[in-house]
Amino acid sequence: MTTYKIITYPDKRLKSIAKPVEKFDNDLRFFLSDLERTMRAGPGGVGIAAPQVGKNQRIVIVDVSSMAERSRKKKPLKHQGKMVLINPEITHWDGMVIGREGCMSVPDYTGNVIRAERITLDAYDEQGKQHSYTCEGFEARAVQHEIDHLDGLLFLDRLVSRHNDLFRRKIKPSK
């Protein structure tokens, strides 16, 4: 069991285009287990991409269910639970909305980014079986954010405005 160190901006490895996964074997499944553990260890971690831990492969894990619990009082959050997305390809997107994003690889900042409100994508699971997913709202945003990592993009590359839409995270005072 491993928890990986998250690579942070401006590390050049975050700008690489990830390679497709070709072998669906036990080594992949062990890596996925450790990658999920790393995602859940991060504060507010709802998604992670393999390049964030130095593995240059097209692998993403997204699970926004923890945010669904928090938002239940405000507005129900639609989600599909944990999604392991290997070699994901967005096949359709619809509607554009601005929303605030943060990233474990850019820990000191958040920013406003335009993303599709609804997406459809195809991806393989850890067994090599292909699935099609339709996501909307926050889950669609998280999936698009993580897939951007596979193409060497960070939310910093998609800011609405670098002058008005990049925010330093507030540091919580110690008790």
Side-chain angles (χ1 to χ4, degrees), residues 16-146:
S16 298
I17 296 176
K19 296 178 180 168
V21 172
E22 296 178 355
K23 291 175 67 176
F24 295 82
D25 56 12
N26 282 336
D27 287 344
L28 174 65
R29 288 182 275 283
F30 289 134
F31 173 72
L32 289 168
S33 178
D34 291 341
L35 187 64
E36 181 180 357
R37 182 174 302 103
T38 302
M39 176 186 79
R40 297 195 189 283
V46 297
I48 192 166
Q52 291 181 276
V53 298
K55 186 144 182 134
N56 194 26
Q57 290 197 296
R58 298 190 73 78
I59 299 170
V60 164
I61 298 175
V62 173
D63 184 354
V64 300
S65 61
S66 63
M67 299 301 284
E69 290 297 318
R70 289 189 212 167
S71 71
R72 195 171 9 183
K73 293 178 183 174
K74 300 176 189 171
K75 180 179 167 186
L77 179 66
K78 293 183 179 180
H79 66 89
Q80 302 178 57
K82 182 180 87 174
M83 294 187 293
V84 174
L85 306 172
I86 300 172
N87 301 336
E89 293 289 335
I90 296 175
T91 58
H92 179 78
W93 49 92
D94 181 38
M96 301 302 272
V97 292
I98 296 175
R100 184 73 63 94
E101 295 186 14
C103 181
M104 292 189 288
S105 291
V106 188
D108 296 333
Y109 292 92
T110 63
N112 290 331
V113 176
I114 296 175
R115 301 269 187 198
E117 176 68 13
R118 289 167 295 283
I119 59 170
T120 301
L121 68 142
D122 294 329
Y124 294 89
D125 66 15
E126 60 269 29
Q127 303 298 327
K129 183 177 176 188
Q130 189 172 21
H131 299 271
S132 183
Y133 300 92
T134 299
C135 305
E136 64 180 74
F138 183 71
E139 185 176 62
R141 176 171 295 279
V143 169
Q144 291 169 85
H145 174 107
E146 299 307 333

